[in-house]
């Protein structure tokens, strides 16, 4: 089973590359059992979405779009 450290590393890598089937399966098993890592994943997703929104909205406002 993956350690919490390995899970956080894989979650970070998943932002940059597609994980293998084996990596995704091991990650899913760990996340089902570890509340801390599941919470970390939610936080990463929130930050990723917030950053994406921040980049999109200012560019739209600069062009005069609403």
């Amino acid at each position: 089973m993956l350690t919490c450290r390995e899970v956080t590393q894989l979650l970070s890598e998943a932002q940059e590359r597609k994980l293998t089937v084996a990596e995704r399966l091991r990650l899913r098993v760990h996340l089902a059992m570890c509340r801390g890592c599941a919470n970390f994943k939610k936080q990463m997703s929130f930050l990723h979405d917030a950053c994406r929104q921040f980049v999109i909205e200012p560019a739209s406002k600069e062009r005069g779009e609403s």
Side-chain angles (χ1 to χ4, degrees), residues 1-4 6-7 10-11 17 19-34 37:
M1 185 159 106
L2 294 172
T3 65
C4 293
E6 291 168 327
V7 168
L10 275 178
L11 289 171
R17 68 173 177 90
L19 299 178
T20 66
V21 173
E23 287 172 328
R24 290 193 310 264
L25 179 61
R26 292 170 64 202
L27 189 58
R28 185 176 293 184
V29 168
H30 184 95
L31 291 173
M33 295 188 301
C34 182
C37 287

Side-chain angles (χ1 to χ4, degrees), residues 34-47:
C34 182
R35 176 171 269 151
C37 287
N39 190 44
F40 179 77
K41 181 179 188 267
K42 287 179 189 177
Q43 291 171 346
M44 280 193 67
S45 295
F46 174 81
L47 290 173

